[in-house]
């Protein structure tokens, strides 16, 4: 194996790890800044839709288990 290729590979890998650490720390800072911020309207609607889908899924499963005709 060529030593220059190995060295270049090691440099590229180290650069990617540094970029990942920087982006991870930026995400952590952003999360800390917005920890107590109220959710956006689209986020509220997404959460409400998810809860509605879960509730309908539980209702459907209960109806199938009990066997009540629709």
């Amino acid at each position: 194996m060529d030593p220059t290729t190995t060295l270049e590979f090691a440099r590229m890998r180290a650069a990617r790890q540094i970029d990942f650490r920087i982006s991870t720390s930026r995400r952590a800072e952003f999360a800390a800044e917005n920890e107590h911020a109220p959710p956006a309207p689209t986020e509220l609607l997404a959460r409400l839709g998810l809860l509605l889908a879960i509730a309908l899924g539980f209702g459907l499963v209960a109806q199938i288990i009990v066997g009540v005709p629709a």
Side-chain angles (χ1 to χ4, degrees):
M1 186 177 247
D2 185 19
T4 57
T5 307
T6 307
L7 182 60
E8 289 172 13
F9 178 75
R11 285 181 182 162
M12 288 173 42
R13 187 172 180 187
R16 272 190 257 136
Q17 287 177 346
I18 290 171
D19 288 342
F20 177 74
R21 289 182 192 142
I22 290 171
S23 65
T24 304
S25 65
R26 285 184 185 153
R27 275 187 260 140
E29 290 173 8
F30 181 76
E33 290 173 1
N34 295 323
E35 184 175 346
H36 300 291
T42 54
E43 193 175 309
L44 284 174
L45 289 174
R47 290 179 183 181
L48 183 61
L50 181 62
L51 286 174
L52 182 62
I54 291 171
L56 289 173
F58 274 112
L60 180 62
V61 169
Q63 185 176 3
I64 290 171
I65 290 174
V66 174
V68 177

